[in-house]
Amino acid sequence: MANNTSNNNNQGKIHFMLKSTPPRVSFHQDMTEEERNIMLQHIDYWTDKQNQGIALVFGPVLNPSAPHGLAIIEVEKEEQVPKLIAQDPAVIARIMTTEFYPMKAVIKK
């Protein structure tokens, strides 16, 4: 993935949108106990990344026809993104698949 997302306003940090897709449309309503435990680990993982200043925002998007998770992250190098995704407990457990896209103009509050 080419990266043209240099942003001088954030000390050279670059931003990406992550989209995580669950295994089924009804997932948020009918998770098994095992899936729920993995999703709690997933939330803990991204909360830790938020506390580190990597995840700016994350959470579920309850689109009735295509529910998914969304995160906006801030990193120094694009190479960090696949590693962050690969360490996500929901990705490791193959409950979620995650794709990412660079963002250009990110204006922080």
Side-chain angles (χ1 to χ4, degrees):
M1 207 179 249
N3 182 5
N4 299 335
T5 57
S6 178
N7 188 335
N8 293 333
N9 294 334
N10 293 311
Q11 297 82 34
K13 300 256 177 137
I14 53 178
H15 298 85
F16 292 86
M17 186 275 295
L18 279 56
K19 180 181 178 186
S20 296
T21 305
R24 56 191 176 275
V25 172
S26 60
F27 183 69
H28 70 282
Q29 298 171 322
D30 63 8
M31 280 184 252
T32 66
E33 186 175 341
E34 180 182 357
E35 288 171 332
R36 189 171 308 284
N37 288 335
I38 292 165
M39 291 307 294
L40 290 171
Q41 294 172 34
H42 165 78
I43 292 165
D44 287 346
Y45 175 79
W46 286 106
T47 299
D48 181 56
K49 299 305 173 211
Q50 189 173 47
N51 291 337
Q52 294 175 33
I54 295 169
L56 303 181
V57 64
F58 70 94
V61 177
L62 301 179
N63 176 340
S65 62
H68 59 275
L70 176 76
I72 306 298
I73 64 169
E74 181 178 77
V75 294
E76 293 176 10
K77 297 179 181 179
E78 183 173 354
E79 294 76 29
Q80 292 172 265
V81 181
K83 292 175 186 174
L84 288 165
I85 292 169
Q87 294 171 354
D88 179 340
V91 172
I92 292 167
R94 297 180 185 210
I95 289 176
M96 294 278 189
T97 57
T98 301
E99 53 193 305
F100 67 96
Y101 303 96
M103 295 179 68
K104 279 199 155 237
V106 175
I107 301 166
K108 292 175 75 175
K109 210 172 183 185

